[in-house]
Amino acid sequence: MPKKEKVQKEVKLTEAQKLEFDFAFTEATKAVLLQELDKGLSLYATCLKIDPSSAVVRYELANIYMSQEDFTSALELSRGAVSLQPLNIWYQIQLANIYQKKGMMEQACAVYDELVEMHPERYDFYYMQAAIFASVEKFDEAIEVYDRLEKKEGIQEGVSLEKERLYIAAGNRKMAYAEIQKLIKKNPYRADFYGMLADLYTEDKQEEKAFEQYEKILKIDPENGLVHFYLADFYRKKGEIEKSNVSLFKAFSNSEIESDQKIQFLISILMNGENESLSDEYLKELLDKLVEVHPGQVRVHALYADFLRKRKDNEGARFHLRKVLEEEKTNYVVWEELLLIDNDMLDFESMFKESSEALKYFPSQPLLYIFKGVAAAQKEEYKVAIETLEEGFAYIGGNVKLRVQFKTYLGDAYYQMGDAKKAFKAYDDVLLFEPENVVVLNNYSYYLSVKGEELEKAKKMSSLCVSLEAENSTYLDTHGWVLFRMGEFQNAKTVLEKALEFGGGESPVIVEHYGDILFRLGSKEKALEEWKKAKEIGEGSMYLAEKIKTGIIPEETEQDEQ
């Protein structure tokens, strides 16, 4: 920290000293630019030794100390610079800034008093001085600065708005009103000033006076959309919902109002639960109007899609998400939402097509491979499904949940392709990480029973599956069928009856299985009744018609019936 110094008189330098000074000053400036501050300080100190009366060196040194938050050192140097060159604006501004940093607001304002006196044309100095007073809540002093500026230039929008803000901060709302009224008097056709006045009245619970201002706006500018937003809010607070909705619709119909403002308004309503008075039908009308007035606006379609999705209108939501993607192909969240809707709608053609396109933009997103793989499998394109899922598996990293999903779908696809060995290996991998994965436990045990392999293992898995979900008719059917294949017909009958109790009676496969068990237990007439019932419900196995025709189970079907 430099010692307090006396201001030097101007020093006359020799040519050699000038060269030495200029070189040191230039090198110091370079060092500061390169953030070599210690080097810069040393070189500037050399400059002061050469010319103790240099104001610019003091100014630069003060800047360095300010950057290091050594405001005491900076203050001494800055005062020296100003004393040497009191007419230099930049030196004065630096000094005022240092005073502010040190909390010496009176001194900072005194500097701006000098600046205003020296440069009466610089209105920014008034604003700076007023801001300093306001920062320490000296509102009256700040207002007095603006009053001085107003006397010089007359009523100005920026000045009056700043004064209004200061009066409100000081708790003098009467004068705040006066400032806005001054602006209205000077600009009687400026609708926004009436809106500001209405805001003040609204804040003070003077709704009727606020309404008068809105009416004045409509007289001045009948097509003013913003005032309809104000009126919508005004009427809603008074409980006049129909009038509020009419005003709001007018605001949404106005093309002069930015779509973002309308979207923000709708979001605030939807997010804050303020739509009790707005029916879904009316909100849909607003959204339709948004689309009409602002065609092609991505955020409009995104908001509409979200609105419809929450109301279970998947088809409508999908339409608007596709509109978003027409403009923003690289929005991953929208692709994922669209594919989830495809999946909910069981539209696997769209799911396959759209996941394939999404992968062009996001080739390392594993979920997209799952969507495409599942869609391909549903389309019975098992080879494509396997290729897709194997490719996507490379991107899962250490994500266990994704590993389980990929291996589950791969296992299903391998089995359908006739590669049971790979399928069962994939299922074993899933159960290693999730031993209670009911989907894999069910599929694995069923496929083993169909092949007649490892039936004890199948029984153990299907038993665990039904213990985890005791009322799932599909899982009960699988367990019963495993028992059937093991020759435990009576136990199989008990389990299948539970499956029928929990909704299995609507499945032709489960009813047919029940008939098969009855047949093996010797109840051939009852078995035939169940087979016929299965036929009435829908499509059973490929042997169902033959069973009904012959009244028996063909022996050769027992090993491959599904």
Side-chain angles (χ1 to χ4, degrees):
M1 184 185 302
K3 294 179 181 178
K4 189 170 182 178
E5 57 182 321
K6 293 180 180 178
V7 177
Q8 301 287 326
K9 293 183 179 179
E10 186 176 354
V11 175
K12 195 74 173 176
L13 302 180
T14 65
E15 285 301 319
Q17 287 175 320
K18 284 181 181 178
L19 287 172
E20 187 181 357
F21 180 94
D22 290 343
F23 176 78
F25 190 89
T26 301
E27 291 301 308
T29 303
K30 287 180 184 177
V32 172
L33 289 173
L34 295 171
Q35 291 299 302
E36 299 173 355
L37 299 185
D38 288 341
K39 183 179 178 181
L41 285 169
S42 177
L43 287 165
Y44 281 134
T46 299
C47 291
L48 272 185
K49 286 179 182 177
I50 299 168
D51 182 4
S53 66
S54 174
V56 68
V57 172
R58 286 172 170 78
Y59 173 79
E60 296 296 346
L61 281 168
N63 279 332
I64 295 175
Y65 284 120
M66 282 181 70
S67 71
Q68 296 176 333
E69 298 189 0
D70 182 354
F71 300 118
T72 300
S73 298
L75 180 58
E76 285 301 319
L77 288 159
S78 185
R79 280 173 171 167
V82 170
S83 296
L84 287 162
Q85 293 187 19
L87 299 182
N88 187 299
I89 291 177
W90 301 110
Y91 298 172
Q92 295 269 18
I93 291 173
Q94 182 195 65
L95 180 59
N97 287 341
I98 296 170
Y99 279 135
Q100 279 184 264
K101 296 290 186 183
K102 287 180 69 65
M104 301 167 70
M105 299 305 178
E106 292 290 345
Q107 292 88 333
C109 287
V111 173
Y112 278 109
D113 277 334
E114 290 183 26
L115 284 169
V116 167
E117 188 176 343
M118 288 190 294
H119 302 279
E121 77 287 353
R122 290 286 300 267
Y123 300 148
D124 55 323
F125 292 151
Y126 288 92
Y127 282 98
M128 289 178 184
Q129 187 179 33
I132 294 171
F133 280 125
S135 70
V136 290
E137 298 187 358
K138 291 191 173 184
F139 303 121
D140 291 341
E141 288 86 342
I143 290 167
E144 191 275 328
V145 173
Y146 285 126
D147 284 340
R148 283 191 280 124
L149 179 57
E150 197 170 72
K151 284 178 183 177
K152 288 175 62 67
E153 291 298 313
I155 296 171
Q156 299 293 319
E157 179 179 343
V159 172
S160 288
L161 292 179
E162 282 297 316
K163 286 172 70 177
E164 181 224 12
R165 183 180 65 81
L166 291 168
Y167 278 128
I168 289 173
N172 191 341
R173 297 188 69 81
K174 180 179 178 182
M175 290 304 297
Y177 278 101
E179 288 301 323
I180 301 302
Q181 287 163 342
K182 276 163 51 177
L183 289 175
I184 289 173
K185 187 175 181 180
K186 184 180 178 183
N187 306 276
Y189 298 104
R190 282 280 298 273
D192 53 333
F193 293 149
Y194 291 96
M196 292 176 193
L197 189 57
D199 287 342
L200 285 174
Y201 282 128
T202 301
E203 289 168 11
D204 291 339
K205 311 298 183 187
Q206 298 186 58
E207 286 85 0
E208 293 304 326
K209 287 187 176 181
F211 183 68
E212 289 174 9
Q213 304 309 312
Y214 297 142
E215 287 187 317
K216 288 177 183 177
I217 294 174
L218 288 176
K219 287 179 181 178
I220 296 167
D221 183 7
E223 300 303 315
N224 187 300
L226 288 175
V227 73
H228 290 295
F229 271 125
Y230 299 140
L231 286 169
D233 190 49
F234 174 79
Y235 284 128
R236 181 161 284 104
K237 287 176 180 176
K238 290 187 67 177
E240 298 181 36
I241 304 305
E242 188 174 340
K243 286 184 178 180
S244 173
N245 290 349
V246 169
S247 292
L248 189 55
F249 193 79
K250 286 181 179 179
F252 271 68
S253 302
N254 191 300
S255 60
E256 297 299 316
I257 301 176
E258 294 290 335
S259 60
D260 282 354
Q261 187 167 353
K262 298 172 186 176
I263 289 170
Q264 202 57 46
F265 185 87
L266 263 185
I267 289 174
S268 68
I269 290 175
L270 296 171
M271 295 292 288
N272 297 328
E274 296 175 2
N275 60 327
E276 296 175 2
S277 57
L278 302 178
S279 65
D280 280 356
E281 183 181 356
Y282 177 72
L283 287 169
K284 193 171 183 300
E285 286 178 12
L286 291 179
L287 286 161
D288 284 336
K289 182 56 68 173
L290 260 182
V291 172
E292 177 190 329
V293 176
H294 304 283
Q297 287 283 335
V298 168
R299 288 192 69 204
V300 171
H301 288 291
L303 180 64
Y304 209 158
D306 184 64
F307 171 82
L308 294 173
R309 183 83 161 118
K310 288 174 180 174
R311 284 151 183 80
K312 311 300 181 187
D313 183 353
N314 282 337
E315 189 63 67
R318 187 164 70 166
F319 170 82
H320 288 285
L321 288 174
R322 286 170 174 167
K323 285 291 185 183
V324 172
L325 290 172
E326 285 178 11
E327 302 295 328
E328 289 187 0
K329 298 287 188 185
T330 56
N331 191 324
Y332 175 75
V333 174
V334 175
W335 281 112
E336 189 175 307
E337 187 68 17
L338 177 62
L339 290 165
L340 286 169
I341 291 175
D342 287 338
N343 187 58
D344 288 349
M345 295 176 68
L346 305 179
D347 186 348
F348 299 110
E349 285 291 342
S350 290
M351 188 164 144
F352 182 82
K353 179 182 175 183
E354 286 164 343
S355 59
S356 298
E357 187 177 359
L359 279 166
K360 295 176 184 176
Y361 303 98
F362 303 97
S364 61
Q365 282 288 351
L367 270 179
L368 298 180
Y369 290 93
I370 289 179
F371 282 118
K372 183 178 178 180
V374 169
Q378 291 294 329
K379 284 156 54 70
E380 299 185 2
E381 296 178 15
Y382 300 114
K383 184 179 179 182
V384 175
I386 290 169
E387 289 172 352
T388 300
L389 291 166
E390 286 180 339
E391 182 182 355
F393 191 76
Y395 298 106
I396 65 170
N399 191 316
V400 173
K401 287 188 176 180
L402 282 176
R403 182 186 184 91
V404 166
Q405 282 185 282
F406 270 92
K407 288 292 184 178
T408 299
Y409 294 128
L410 274 168
D412 295 343
Y414 284 136
Y415 187 83
Q416 296 301 329
M417 279 286 287
D419 195 338
K421 185 177 179 181
K422 282 188 176 180
F424 296 160
K425 186 176 183 302
Y427 291 150
D428 283 329
D429 193 17
V430 172
L431 294 176
L432 183 65
F433 288 94
E434 287 187 5
E436 294 187 349
N437 186 307
V438 289
V439 173
V440 170
L441 287 170
N442 176 72
N443 291 356
Y444 198 177
S445 55
Y446 187 73
Y447 292 150
L448 284 173
S449 73
V450 169
K451 296 181 71 65
E453 299 176 359
E454 298 186 79
L455 292 177
E456 283 296 336
K457 179 178 180 178
K459 180 180 178 181
K460 184 178 178 181
M461 289 191 295
S462 63
S463 296
L464 175 57
C465 191
V466 297
S467 72
L468 293 168
E469 293 197 23
E471 298 183 2
N472 186 301
S473 60
T474 299
Y475 299 162
L476 286 165
D477 173 59
T478 294
H479 184 48
W481 193 247
V482 170
L483 295 172
F484 175 86
R485 296 307 303 271
M486 295 179 76
E488 299 181 22
F489 301 124
Q490 191 58 53
N491 289 338
K493 178 175 179 290
T494 301
V495 173
L496 260 293
E497 285 172 348
K498 282 186 180 179
L500 293 169
E501 179 186 345
F502 295 120
E506 298 177 5
S507 166
V509 173
I510 294 176
V511 173
E512 183 182 352
H513 281 172
Y514 185 53
D516 291 355
I517 293 168
L518 291 175
F519 181 85
R520 289 302 174 204
L521 286 170
S523 301
K524 296 184 178 180
E525 290 183 7
K526 288 184 178 180
L528 183 59
E529 288 177 14
E530 295 300 319
W531 290 335
K532 287 179 179 179
K533 193 185 297 181
K535 183 69 174 175
E536 291 173 5
I537 296 170
E539 187 177 351
S541 75
M542 59 188 293
Y543 302 105
L544 179 59
E546 187 177 350
K547 292 175 187 176
I548 295 171
K549 183 178 179 181
T550 63
I552 62 171
I553 300 176
E555 292 297 324
E556 63 271 19
T557 68
E558 284 202 30
Q559 296 303 312
D560 58 6
E561 187 171 0
Q562 297 184 36

